[in-house]
């Protein structure tokens, strides 16, 4: 990253451990696999009169954002925010794990003002360690899905993805309707699952499934292992072989990635199993160490604005606001859900990852 303004605020005791654990649990989430830095040039625009975004008049018109993508959406959001406020945004683009690693390295001299993650438990961890700055008065926060965001305003999930079964339409003419279908002999050796130590969304699915089914839920993953389901890197690495036809399906596929590939003409589609799946919210949080508080707040306001939520929908993600529907994809009311317990998922993620990794060795 370029020369950022930093401060000397240290992180609370225990944060290193929390982030170190998170690195092993939520590396990829639903974000891009790229790891790029960007100095996004500020537009020569006056602050917006639109009351959906705070009118920013800070002397230092600057903001540092670490974003877990998707990359194209992240840049469009930055561009829209800069155009409305005149604030110059410097963005680090990477996976959730790379963001957490960078924050860990910078903990004695924090740089980032706002983080956008692809893992709800990671945002919960930041809140629990006292690292977030509450902003309960954020514009449109009352319209957010209450299950995805913090009622005290410590993090705001402005978008989400759902996890399903992605399949190659040339190889699979009758798509499965249940997770259990993937244990059938005809699918032996034809299925990928993202690695939960690299993919936060894969971990969300595994822990969400277990929080709903209990200890007996492990039998599904044992059957997956017996059917030669392959643990195949992060989300895009697991999906690419299905796009090319080297594999037939992906378990716990991130739906927006599949929708985007389908829109490009690739022979893929996605189904949501009848017994239910897990939604992976994408939370944004203001860091307590921010030196650009008003700019950070106006950025959250923009994320929750009509304009930004439209960008979310165009990127094939679920909008975070309940009053806005997604286009060209399944909406929340069309997706059967497991009764996922996010508190249990957060507390047990490390143990689940360890057991899953050992099972698939």
């Amino acid at each position: 990253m370029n020369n950022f303004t930093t401060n000397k605020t240290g992180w609370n005791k225990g944060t290193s451990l929390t982030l170190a654990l998170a690195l092993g649990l939520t590396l990829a989430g639903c974000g891009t696999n790229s790891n790029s830095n960007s100095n996004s040039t500020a537009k020569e625009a006056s602050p917006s009169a639109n009351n959906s975004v705070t009118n920013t008049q800070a002397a230092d018109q600057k903001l540092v954002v670490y974003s877990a993508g998707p990359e194209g959406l992240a840049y469009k959001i930055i561009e829209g925010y800069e155009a409305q406020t005149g604030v110059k945004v410097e963005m680090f683009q990477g996976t959730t794990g790379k963001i957490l690693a960078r924050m860990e390295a910078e903990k004695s001299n924090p740089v980032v003002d706002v983080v956008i993650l692809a893992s709800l438990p990671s945002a919960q961890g930041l809140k629990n360690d006292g690292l977030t700055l509450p902003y309960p008065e954020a514009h449109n926060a009352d319209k957010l899905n209450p299950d995805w965001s913090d009622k005290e305003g410590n993090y705001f999930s402005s978008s989400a993805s759902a996890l399903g079964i992605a399949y190659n339409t040339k190889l699979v003419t009758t798509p499965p309707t249940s997770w259990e279908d993937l244990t059938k002999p005809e699918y032996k050796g034809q299925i990928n699952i993202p690695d939960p130590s690299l993919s936060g969304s894969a971990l969300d699915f595994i822990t969400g499934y277990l929080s709903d089914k209990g200890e007996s839920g492990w039998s599904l993953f044992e059957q997956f292992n017996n059917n030669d389901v392959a643990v195949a890197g992060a989300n895009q690495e697991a999906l690419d072989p299905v796009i090319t036809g080297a594999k037939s399906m992906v378990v716990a596929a991130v739906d927006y990635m599949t929708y985007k590939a389908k829109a490009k003409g690739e022979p893929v589609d996605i189904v949501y199993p009848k017994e239910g799946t897990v939604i992976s919210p994408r939370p944004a949080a203001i860091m307590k160490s921010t030196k650009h508080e008003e700019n950070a707040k106006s950025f959250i306001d923009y994320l929750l604005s009509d304009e930004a939520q439209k960008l979310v929908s165009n990127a094939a993600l679920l909008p975070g606001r309940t009053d806005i529907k997604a286009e060209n994809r399944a909406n929340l009311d069309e997706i059967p859900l497991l009764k996922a317990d996010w508190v249990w998922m957060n507390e047990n993620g490390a143990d689940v990852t360890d057991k899953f990794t050992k099972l698939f060795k």
Side-chain angles (χ1 to χ4, degrees):
M1 207 148 192
N2 292 310
N3 295 325
F4 289 141
T5 302
T6 60
N7 66 19
K8 301 292 184 180
T9 303
W11 287 24
N12 289 356
K13 183 178 180 181
T15 300
S16 297
L17 177 59
T18 297
L19 288 180
L21 287 173
L23 292 180
L25 300 180
T26 56
L27 283 180
C30 304
T32 176
N33 290 325
S34 67
N35 182 14
S36 58
N37 297 344
S38 170
N39 260 344
S40 182
T41 305
K43 308 286 190 297
E44 295 298 325
S46 60
S48 172
N50 184 344
N51 62 13
S52 68
V53 178
T54 301
N55 193 14
T56 306
Q57 297 290 348
D60 184 0
Q61 293 288 78
K62 175 182 174 181
L63 188 70
V64 178
V65 176
Y66 290 179
S67 176
E71 187 172 24
L73 174 62
Y75 284 113
K76 287 179 181 178
I77 285 175
I78 295 302
E79 290 169 2
Y81 170 72
E82 288 182 329
Q84 284 204 14
T85 64
V87 173
K88 179 182 178 181
V89 177
E90 295 176 343
M91 181 171 70
F92 170 71
Q93 173 73 37
T95 65
T96 294
K98 289 176 181 177
I99 288 171
L100 294 176
R102 194 179 187 106
M103 292 169 65
E104 170 72 3
E106 296 169 347
K107 65 181 181 180
S108 64
N109 206 15
V111 173
V112 63
D113 298 304
V114 176
V115 294
I116 304 173
L117 305 173
S119 167
L120 186 60
S122 293
Q124 291 171 330
L126 293 177
K127 174 193 172 182
N128 292 341
D129 279 336
L131 298 175
T132 54
L133 180 71
Y135 181 37
E137 64 272 24
H139 295 304
N140 294 313
D142 58 329
K143 298 175 183 176
L144 289 172
N145 187 316
D147 295 331
W148 302 349
S149 298
D150 180 53
K151 63 181 180 180
E152 297 170 348
N154 285 279
Y155 54 83
F156 309 86
S157 291
S158 60
S159 65
S161 59
L163 307 177
I165 301 172
Y167 63 96
N168 184 298
T169 55
K170 293 181 179 179
L171 301 176
V172 181
T173 55
T174 303
T177 61
S178 168
W179 300 114
E180 293 284 347
D181 287 346
L182 304 182
T183 67
K184 293 179 178 180
E186 58 260 42
Y187 298 135
K188 190 176 182 69
Q190 290 299 308
I191 300 171
N192 281 343
I193 185 170
D195 186 341
S197 72
L198 299 176
S199 167
S201 57
L203 182 61
D204 286 350
F205 166 68
I206 297 166
T207 55
Y209 186 87
L210 293 170
S211 75
D212 181 275
K213 305 298 182 183
E215 191 66 19
S216 64
W218 278 108
S219 65
L220 176 69
F221 303 111
E222 291 166 358
Q223 292 178 74
F224 282 174
N225 184 45
N226 292 336
N227 214 29
D228 292 342
V229 171
V231 179
N235 300 311
Q236 195 65 52
E237 287 87 348
L239 180 62
D240 284 342
V242 175
I243 292 174
T244 63
K247 292 280 187 175
S248 296
M249 289 181 282
V250 179
V251 185
V254 178
D255 64 355
Y256 81 81
M257 291 183 174
T258 309
Y259 286 124
K260 289 178 72 175
K262 180 181 177 181
K264 292 178 181 178
E266 302 290 358
V268 292
D269 209 339
I270 192 163
V271 293
Y272 305 103
K274 60 187 178 183
E275 64 266 46
T277 187
V278 174
I279 299 289
S280 282
R282 306 175 64 82
I286 301 173
M287 302 308 296
K288 185 176 289 185
S289 57
T290 178
K291 295 194 71 174
H292 309 97
E293 180 177 333
E294 292 308 310
N295 296 344
K297 289 180 176 179
S298 70
F299 184 78
I300 295 296
D301 289 339
Y302 181 74
L303 280 178
L304 309 187
S305 69
D306 291 355
E307 179 175 297
Q309 289 291 284
K310 177 66 174 175
L311 293 175
V312 166
S313 176
N314 291 344
L317 283 153
L318 290 165
R321 280 172 45 181
T322 58
D323 61 326
I324 295 178
K325 292 291 185 180
E327 300 175 5
N328 303 315
R329 58 150 297 141
N331 275 283
L332 187 59
D333 57 2
E334 302 170 287
I335 302 171
L337 298 177
L338 294 166
K339 295 179 180 178
D341 182 344
W342 285 98
V343 174
W344 187 94
M345 293 160 66
N346 187 27
E347 292 174 349
N348 291 275
D351 291 338
V352 168
T353 301
D354 183 60
K355 184 171 180 177
F356 182 91
T357 301
K358 290 176 180 177
L359 176 63
F360 280 82
K361 276 187 176 181

